[in-house]
Amino acid sequence: MSLYQTQKLKVYNSLTGEKEVFEPLSEGHVGMYVCGPTVYSNVHLGNCRTFMSFDMIFRYLKHLGYKVRYVRNITDAGHLENDAEDGEDKIAKKARLEQLEPMEVVQQYTLDFHSILQKFNLLPPSIEPTATGHIIEQIEIIKNILEKGFAYEINGSVYFDVEKFNETHEYGKLSGRKLEDMIANTRELAAQDEKKSPQDFALWKKAEAQHIMRWPSPWGDGFPGWHLECTAMSTKYLGETFDIHGGGMDLKFPHHECEIAQAEACNGHAPVKYWLHANMLTLNGKKMAKSTGNNILPNEMFSGENNILSKPYTPSVVRFFMMQAHYTSILDLSDEALSASEKGFQKLMDAIDSMEKLTTGPSSSFNVEEWKQKGYDAMNDDFNTPMLTANLFEAVKRINLIKEGKETITQKDKELFIETMHGFVFDILGLENQNSAMLNSDKLSSVVGLLIQLRNEARANKDFSTSDKIRDQLAAMGIQLNDGKDGTTFSLN
RNA sequence: GGCAUUGUGGCCGAGUGGCUAGGCAGAGCUCUGCAAAAGCUUGUACAGCGGUUCGAAUCCGCUCGAUGCCUCCA
């Protein structure tokens, strides 16, 4: 029996604006598509938060026993600077500016993307398709939409006819917009455009002579529009209808709205059952923007080479910090908030490290099963990781009380306690214990053990200058001695 | 200007009609040779103004602020 049969998950569906019981289309299987990055620059911290949120969701679904097919694309073509006639492809622009082949740009930033996500301990998706690898599929979809009459060709480009679509479908239902309002708002702009209406969006763009990224199509040489790739790849790997579509809040409109329109125009029915949107990350209360300098790259955080934070933070601390907020809330990153998380994270890891050594007794003074279910309840409530975290600190308190002899635990409960704690912290939240490798090193622990022994001998002889020297110099090296009831242990800072 | 989200104690951040979220920081105590660590105790917070209600941080309205989208952005 799988966990998902007993743990009832609810998710907040952006499409309906409500928390709904999660029921996959096919029992035991979940198809999830998440919009990946456009690889034209280094991945920034805000991007990482989104992917980390969906990594946590992926991990939890797997933990529940679902067989998950997680598709996250790489946009390596088609993402235009704007939708106007002279709109330039982001990759192509970067390639032109840096005098590189477009695929060199793609390769460079794809590698950067993977390397950063790996540091944050994100699991790789099941499939990571690229837009350029699915040009044929995209062309097929355009043909299909043209046949159905929801698109028109002009000068070698093909545009989606939003007004036509809206006659029989509802354009704007995801973002809560009404087409009439949008038209009313843009009427005065009167763009000089080959599009029939400013709301229309490109399915295929004609490549001008100087354009370096180009593919042949029934409408001449060109390249696909941005929204199309996600429809093509999600349909190919997950089917015409799948369970979860995720992405950043900022993609809700127009990108996801257009995806819905394309898929409905093509297949006549909605593509996605649950739309999940991760919220933005701000920096010192303000939007992250390269233009204002209010921006930080992950590697700059890890190395400490930046003007924003007082010191370096490890990927796991940053991940813990992000997991302390709900994925649908705006999260503000600041030095003060991060260093608070760092201390909390350390406390959590120290407690976990000490669990194996807990002494057991004939009875448990608290209900481990109950505590465990509280953790699941939190996760089942739309992946409420902050509540799960609060519950983890409840465990930390119990662990420390057991160490002090003020609480007791049976051997059986201890095993359950450790297993559950590891499941929540490492499997679901995806945190990594940077101490454990060091702590588990026999050499280090025996060396420190020797020093602890020498210190205790000095203390017994009231030679406090020696004992304090050992303690303080170890502390200076980042090894902290903890005098407890049953002797001295150590932890790493 | 339009649409959406949002405004919680010193900081971060859950909750969402009545019952302590949690972390960090601060104060007191216990333990300790002194510390540290750990434990215990401690915070009368919910932007403002009205309304609904026996009761609202939680629902409704208005005002103010923030964020996202409306051209590209996770």
Side-chain angles (χ1 to χ4, degrees), chain A residues 127-312:
Chain A
I127 303 176
E128 194 169 45
T130 59
T132 54
H134 298 76
I135 300 288
I136 292 167
E137 287 84 350
Q138 299 187 64
I139 289 172
E140 288 306 309
I141 289 178
I142 298 171
K143 283 194 205 160
N144 188 335
I145 297 175
L146 276 168
E147 270 169 35
K148 303 261 165 70
F150 292 117
Y152 54 92
E153 184 197 345
I154 184 163
N155 301 331
S157 292
V158 182
Y159 294 98
F160 191 93
D161 191 334
V162 172
E163 282 187 62
K164 180 77 190 299
F165 175 78
N166 199 52
E167 286 169 15
T168 47
H169 298 73
E170 192 188 347
Y171 182 80
K173 61 184 170 188
L174 179 66
S175 54
R177 281 156 215 251
K178 287 199 165 55
L179 187 58
E180 309 89 76
D181 298 344
M182 292 168 60
I183 292 167
N185 276 331
T186 50
R187 187 171 292 151
E188 287 159 23
L189 296 176
Q192 308 285 320
D193 206 322
E194 61 189 13
K195 291 192 289 189
K196 281 204 248 174
S197 156
Q199 280 69 43
D200 294 351
F201 55 90
L203 297 174
W204 187 264
K205 292 283 279 188
K206 178 187 180 178
E208 301 301 330
Q210 73 277 12
H211 202 285
I212 43 183
M213 296 180 84
R214 54 202 301 141
W215 290 265
S217 81
W219 317 282
D221 279 7
F223 53 95
W226 173 41
H227 310 302
L228 193 58
E229 54 166 303
C230 290
T231 300
M233 296 186 277
S234 62
T235 308
K236 175 162 182 172
Y237 299 111
L238 300 172
E240 286 183 11
T241 310
F242 54 96
D243 300 298
I244 296 175
H245 190 125
M249 265 304 225
D250 49 350
L251 296 184
K252 207 170 175 184
F253 187 90
H255 184 56
H256 291 158
E257 204 71 76
C258 294
E259 272 189 69
I260 292 176
Q262 288 165 350
E264 290 187 356
C266 236
N267 306 320
H269 56 81
V272 175
K273 196 168 179 194
Y274 306 99
W275 282 92
L276 269 47
H277 287 98
N279 219 323
M280 304 289 107
L281 181 74
T282 57
L283 182 56
N284 291 322
K286 281 177 285 181
K287 175 187 176 177
M288 275 200 179
K290 282 177 199 167
S291 52
T292 59
N294 196 45
N295 180 50
I296 189 164
L297 258 27
N299 274 333
E300 294 171 346
M301 281 191 98
F302 306 154
S303 70
E305 286 163 17
N306 63 76
N307 301 322
I308 294 164
L309 305 172
S310 65
K311 56 180 196 148

Side-chain angles (χ1 to χ4, degrees), chain A residues 1 37 86 168 206 227-228 336 384 388 432 435:
Chain A
M1 183 150 124
D86 60 346
T168 47
K206 178 187 180 178
H227 310 302
L228 193 58
E336 206 177 358
N384 197 325
L388 173 64
E432 289 179 296
N435 284 348

Side-chain angles (χ1 to χ4, degrees), chain A residues 20-55:
Chain A
E20 299 172 10
V21 173
F22 179 71
E23 278 165 355
L25 295 159
S26 164
E27 209 218 298
H29 295 259
V30 178
M32 175 161 89
Y33 187 92
V34 172
C35 292
T38 301
V39 281
Y40 69 104
S41 67
N42 291 304
V43 63
H44 76 76
L45 207 57
N47 297 51
C48 293
R49 182 185 181 206
T50 297
F51 299 127
M52 198 184 284
S53 296
F54 286 103
D55 180 62

